[in-house]
Amino acid sequence: MSSEDQEKTDLPQKNEPEIIIPEEVQEIIKDLPEPQRKAVTAIFAGLSIKRQVFRSPIPPPEILKGYNDIIPNGADRILKQSEKQTQHRIQTETTVITRELQQGDRGQHYGFIIAILGLLISGFLIYTDHDTAGTILGGTDLIALVSVFVYGKYAQRKDLDAKK
C-alpha cells in the first residue's frame, strides 16, 4: 500500500457515523489497555444516535425530502400543519389583545362613572348642609383617583424596566 493510499484510509469516511462518547467515559477508558478501550468504543458506536437540531417551525429541506420518501406528500402535510398552527397562533394573539384592550377601556369607563358619582354625591351632601360627610366622601374620592393614576404610572414604568 502506498503512502497516498494509507492517508486515504486514515481519513473518516463520509457515511461513517461519528461516535459520541461522553467526557466522563473518555476519562475512565483513557488508561485502559487498547483491546478494552476498543471494546468500549464499539459499544458506544452501537449506541450512537444521530441528533439534528434546527430552530424553525419546519424542518430543513433535506429532512422534508426524507419525509416525502416515507410518507406520500409528507413534506406538504408538514408545511400545511405549520401554516395552520401559525394562523391559529396569530388568531389567538389577536383575540387576546383585542379583549385585553376592551377590558382596559371598560375598566376606565366604569372607574370614571364611579368617580363622577362619588363627586356628585359629595357635592349633593355639601349642598344639603352635610358638609363633613360631603367633604370626607369627596376627599376620599379624589385621593383614590390620584392614587390609582400614580400607582398605574408606577406599575407601567416598572413593567417597562422589567422588559428591558
Side-chain angles (χ1 to χ4, degrees):
M1 187 181 272
S2 71
S3 62
E4 189 177 307
D5 291 337
Q6 181 64 37
E7 287 177 17
K8 287 180 183 176
T9 57
D10 290 342
L11 297 174
Q13 300 297 315
K14 283 190 176 185
N15 295 334
E16 190 176 303
E18 179 185 354
I19 300 170
I20 301 171
I21 301 175
E23 289 183 29
E24 301 86 21
V25 176
Q26 289 178 10
E27 285 294 319
I28 294 170
I29 67 171
K30 72 178 181 181
D31 297 328
L32 291 177
E34 184 68 25
Q36 291 175 335
R37 196 168 49 241
K38 282 187 177 183
V40 172
T41 303
I43 291 170
F44 274 93
L47 297 175
S48 186
I49 297 172
K50 185 177 180 184
R51 178 177 63 166
Q52 289 184 317
V53 178
F54 54 92
R55 295 176 191 227
S56 170
I58 56 173
E62 55 274 0
I63 293 178
L64 286 174
K65 184 178 179 193
Y67 277 108
N68 269 342
D69 293 342
I70 58 172
I71 301 171
N73 296 322
D76 187 50
R77 290 167 59 184
I78 290 172
L79 290 173
K80 283 181 181 176
Q81 178 186 9
S82 177
E83 289 168 356
K84 280 177 60 178
Q85 180 61 35
T86 301
Q87 186 60 37
H88 172 71
R89 190 177 314 118
I90 290 170
Q91 186 178 19
T92 301
E93 288 174 359
T94 302
T95 302
V96 167
I97 290 170
T98 301
R99 290 202 177 148
E100 285 178 352
L101 289 172
Q102 289 172 345
Q103 184 179 13
D105 287 346
R106 200 170 30 248
Q108 286 183 345
H109 292 135
Y110 291 160
F112 177 73
I113 290 169
I114 291 170
I116 293 298
L117 283 175
L119 289 174
L120 287 174
I121 293 170
S122 171
F124 177 76
L125 287 172
I126 293 172
Y127 180 74
T128 58
D129 293 328
H130 296 92
D131 296 343
T132 305
T135 304
I136 291 172
L137 181 63
T140 305
D141 192 26
L142 289 174
I143 289 171
L145 280 173
V146 169
S147 299
V148 166
F149 282 109
V150 169
Y151 178 76
K153 283 294 182 186
Y154 169 77
Q156 191 177 39
R157 192 172 302 124
K158 187 177 174 183
D159 191 36
L160 287 174
D161 289 342
K163 288 180 181 179
K164 288 181 183 177

